[in-house]
Amino acid sequence: MYPVYWRFKLYLKLLLTFAYIGAFTFGGGYSMLPMFQRELIEKNKWLTEEELMDIFSISQCLPGIIAANTAIFVGYKQKGI
């Protein structure tokens, strides 16, 4: 059995990544998109380019903040419900 902190390692990584994006971007949700690309595709390799574009298009159509909707989709893709 793995230690408890290993199970929550990805949750912590997701939290810190989205907190970093939220803390260091100014100008609204659309200014975050390049940073999402760098953090989610290039650095962490959680998504492909096509998946991120699909998430952006769906997040834009749904009510709410595009950054929060993107975070929900990425979390769901990584760990499920």
Side-chain angles (χ1 to χ4, degrees), residues 11-23:
Y11 291 127
L12 181 63
K13 183 75 172 170
L14 284 166
L15 173 72
L16 293 176
T17 299
F18 284 101
Y20 171 75
I21 292 171

